[in-house]
Amino acid sequence: MNTFTEENYLKAIYHLSLQSSSVSTNQIAASLNTKAASVTDMLKKLAEKGLINYTKYQGVTLTAAGEKIAVSIIRKHRLWEYFLVEKLNFKWDEVHDVAEELEHISSKELVDRLDDFMGHPKYDPHGDPIPDSNGLFKTHELKPVATLVINENGIISGVRDHSTAFLQYLERMQLTIGKKIKVTEINDYDHSVILQVEDKKVHISREVANNLLIAI
Amino acid sequence: MNTFTEENYLKAIYHLSLQSSSVSTNQIAASLNTKAASVTDMLKKLAEKGLINYTKYQGVTLTAAGEKIAVSIIRKHRLWEYFLVEKLNFKWDEVHDVAEELEHISSKELVDRLDDFMGHPKYDPHGDPIPDSNGLFKTHELKPVATLVINENGIISGVRDHSTAFLQYLERMQLTIGKKIKVTEINDYDHSVILQVEDKKVHISREVANNLLIAI
DNA sequence: TAAAAAATTTAGATTAGTCTAAATATTTTA
DNA sequence: TAAAATATTTAGACTAATCTAAATTTTTTA
Ligand SMILES: [Mn+2]
Ligand SMILES: [Mn+2]
Ligand SMILES: [Mn+2]
Ligand SMILES: [Mn+2]
């Protein structure tokens, strides 16, 4: 099929495509911690295989075939993360690196049975949607807590930053997926926000409010 | 750590070491479907890393460090096979290839938690012992059904041939791990054997009797 | 709109793993 | 115990993925 490395490139291009329609060499290099020259080489190979549309100096988009592969990798990544948290009692901040390896296990039978075993979960531990066996999933509409006004409420449904540091911080503050929150105060000076979470008040910075997402 | 390929070499050397004390270049090449020249190159690298004892033309043995890695790969292989059969409802003849990939997932935390989740199984679906988290396991004593005499009985506890064809044949004959069998007849001419298995008689060839193992 | 800056590609190396063919060592056998 | 046969290693080449440095293209800016 495709190498481990090719799969990682396709996944990176897919994620970057959600931001901008066309993806640049440097964006890919940054996201994969590699050099632009290496990216150019790989882009030629992926174009050769019909997985991306590539014109020199013009950036790339995924073809339908490339997107299908990218989505299947993402399905595996998120299902494994769900498994690790729900069945093996990992914390939500501990699963990403292991899932980066598990997502490359090739058996489709395996991932489909894993999906059955867990009852077809719709979202991974970070609130990201899990594509079904046909690659279909809702791109759910989320917005940052920072966009709420006083007295607005919502349900925590995702994060924009997946770093261990951020996830651990949220865990400590009890700002986890599914929690109902209400904005009680917004600081004019630094745009920090005070939330009502269950029976407690939690004070978060503008940065945190930007990276914490609620369902619309 | 070590590459996927290095791990496969160590595992192959480990398995071959169970037969003969020292393992030859050609034996390794055959077991990994590669060429002797490639094996020589890898042996130099593994010796350099202190994982094998290698003297030109004299074959190799694992060092303690090499054996530790080999056993940890085998632990992962067998635990994943158990998981696939017991939790995901794979058949015992369908799990080996997937486990060949899963055994290279590096997280020790993952495999230890998987072990916990499944209640620390002692044997994999083919009857092979699963090393514990410290690499310890009983090398259980098994002997081929072919060594039994008339009226001797035993419990099916392992296989010498792990091929899909053989496992499917055994499944069809209901000769699966844990079944109690008794030798009722041995054919002088072709050494085929008739077994009593539960309420049925099963006729197996000498070859099958040699590859089907019972606890001593 | 021409020069400067930034982005991207090309050229040329490097490393891991593999191969074939040739050379060398070991083992078998007569 | 010296050929012959077999096993193993070496030599030299190839592919995938990576890198640095140089060349080229695109974009920005003055
Ligand atoms: Mn993740
Ligand atoms: Mn996730
Ligand atoms: Mn196996
Ligand atoms: Mn097994």
Side-chain angles (χ1 to χ4, degrees):
Chain A
M1 263 298 268
N2 303 287
T3 67
F4 190 103
T5 309
E6 287 167 349
E7 290 183 348
N8 282 337
Y9 271 85
L10 293 173
K11 185 168 59 119
I13 295 166
Y14 180 90
H15 284 308
L16 291 167
S17 297
L18 300 178
Q19 304 291 125
S20 47
S21 60
S22 170
V23 176
S24 75
T25 300
N26 268 357
Q27 282 179 297
I28 298 168
S31 111
L32 291 174
N33 282 303
T34 186
K35 297 299 153 80
S38 308
V39 174
T40 300
D41 284 345
M42 181 58 80
L43 294 183
K44 285 178 189 164
K45 198 193 339 173
L46 294 174
E48 190 63 40
K49 285 188 160 197
L51 301 174
I52 60 172
N53 305 114
Y54 171 54
T55 330
K56 259 191 186 184
Y57 293 102
Q58 299 311 131
V60 296
T61 57
L62 291 175
T63 61
E67 179 168 332
K68 192 175 167 198
I69 294 169
V71 170
S72 87
I73 304 300
I74 289 166
R75 167 169 161 79
K76 289 189 276 184
H77 184 103
R78 293 180 181 167
L79 274 173
W80 279 116
E81 284 190 345
Y82 186 92
F83 172 74
L84 295 175
V85 167
E86 295 301 322
K87 302 292 181 180
L88 301 193
N89 301 118
F90 279 84
K91 302 262 183 57
W92 74 337
D93 59 285
E94 298 171 327
V95 297
H96 182 77
D97 291 348
V98 181
E100 284 292 305
E101 291 187 52
L102 286 164
E103 72 189 8
H104 301 289
I105 302 295
S106 59
S107 170
K108 176 153 169 54
E109 188 69 20
L110 170 61
V111 71
D112 289 347
R113 283 183 191 241
L114 188 69
D115 196 5
D116 287 352
F117 176 60
M118 301 188 297
H120 305 282
K122 290 278 170 291
Y123 300 101
D124 86 358
H126 313 106
D128 295 308
I130 300 176
D132 71 16
S133 149
N134 299 310
L136 301 176
F137 62 102
K138 308 191 206 46
T139 37
H140 60 179
E141 305 284 307
L142 299 180
K143 62 182 180 186
V145 168
T147 62
L148 299 181
V149 297
I150 296 225
N151 284 328
E152 254 194 300
N153 46 228
I155 293 180
I156 298 179
S157 304
V159 292
R160 184 170 273 174
D161 173 4
H162 289 71
S163 70
T164 300
F166 186 56
L167 297 176
Q168 282 181 353
Y169 170 82
L170 292 180
E171 179 88 20
R172 217 158 41 238
M173 295 292 163
Q174 301 188 41
L175 295 169
T176 50
I177 304 288
K179 284 277 174 67
K180 194 173 172 202
I181 55 133
K182 179 176 177 179
V183 173
T184 61
E185 214 179 313
I186 298 176
N187 187 320
D188 268 356
Y189 175 64
D190 66 0
H191 304 282
S192 64
V193 178
I194 296 178
L195 302 173
Q196 183 75 40
V197 188
E198 288 168 349
D199 60 340
K200 293 189 1 180
K201 282 204 192 301
V202 179
H203 188 177
I204 61 175
S205 69
R206 179 172 182 67
E207 191 179 354
V208 169
N210 268 323
N211 287 324
L212 185 59
L213 306 174
I214 60 164
I216 292 176
Chain B
M1 261 300 265
N2 304 287
T3 66
F4 189 102
T5 309
E6 288 168 348
E7 290 183 347
N8 282 337
Y9 271 84
L10 293 172
K11 186 168 58 117
I13 295 166
Y14 180 91
H15 285 308
L16 292 167
S17 297
L18 299 179
Q19 304 292 124
S20 48
S21 59
S22 169
V23 176
S24 76
T25 301
N26 268 357
Q27 282 179 298
I28 298 168
S31 112
L32 291 174
N33 282 303
T34 184
K35 297 299 152 84
S38 309
V39 174
T40 300
D41 285 345
M42 181 57 82
L43 294 182
K44 285 178 190 165
K45 196 189 349 167
L46 293 174
E48 190 62 42
K49 284 188 160 196
L51 302 175
I52 61 172
N53 305 114
Y54 171 53
T55 329
K56 258 190 186 186
Y57 293 101
Q58 299 312 132
V60 296
T61 57
L62 291 175
T63 62
E67 180 169 332
K68 192 175 167 197
I69 294 168
V71 170
S72 87
I73 304 301
I74 290 165
R75 167 170 161 79
K76 288 189 277 183
H77 184 103
R78 293 180 182 168
L79 275 173
W80 280 115
E81 284 191 344
Y82 186 92
F83 172 76
L84 295 175
V85 168
E86 296 300 321
K87 302 292 181 180
L88 301 193
N89 301 118
F90 278 85
K91 300 262 182 58
W92 74 337
D93 60 285
E94 298 171 327
V95 296
H96 181 77
D97 291 349
V98 181
E100 284 291 305
E101 290 186 53
L102 285 164
E103 72 189 8
H104 301 289
I105 302 295
S106 60
S107 170
K108 177 154 169 55
E109 188 70 20
L110 169 60
V111 71
D112 289 346
R113 283 183 191 240
L114 188 69
D115 196 6
D116 287 351
F117 176 60
M118 301 188 298
H120 305 281
K122 291 278 169 292
Y123 300 100
D124 87 356
H126 313 105
D128 297 307
I130 301 175
D132 70 16
S133 152
N134 298 310
L136 301 175
F137 63 102
K138 308 192 207 42
T139 36
H140 62 179
E141 306 285 308
L142 299 180
K143 63 182 179 188
V145 168
T147 62
L148 298 182
V149 297
I150 296 223
N151 285 327
E152 255 193 298
N153 46 228
I155 293 180
I156 298 178
S157 303
V159 292
R160 186 170 271 174
D161 173 5
H162 289 70
S163 71
T164 301
F166 186 56
L167 297 176
Q168 282 181 355
Y169 170 81
L170 293 180
E171 180 89 20
R172 218 157 43 237
M173 295 292 162
Q174 303 188 40
L175 295 169
T176 49
I177 304 288
K179 284 275 173 68
K180 194 172 172 202
I181 56 135
K182 179 175 176 181
V183 173
T184 62
E185 213 179 314
I186 298 176
N187 187 320
D188 268 355
Y189 175 64
D190 65 0
H191 304 281
S192 64
V193 178
I194 297 178
L195 301 173
Q196 182 75 39
V197 187
E198 289 168 348
D199 59 340
K200 292 190 358 178
K201 283 207 192 300
V202 179
H203 188 177
I204 61 175
S205 69
R206 178 171 183 69
E207 192 180 352
V208 168
N210 268 323
N211 287 323
L212 185 59
L213 305 174
I214 58 164
I216 291 177

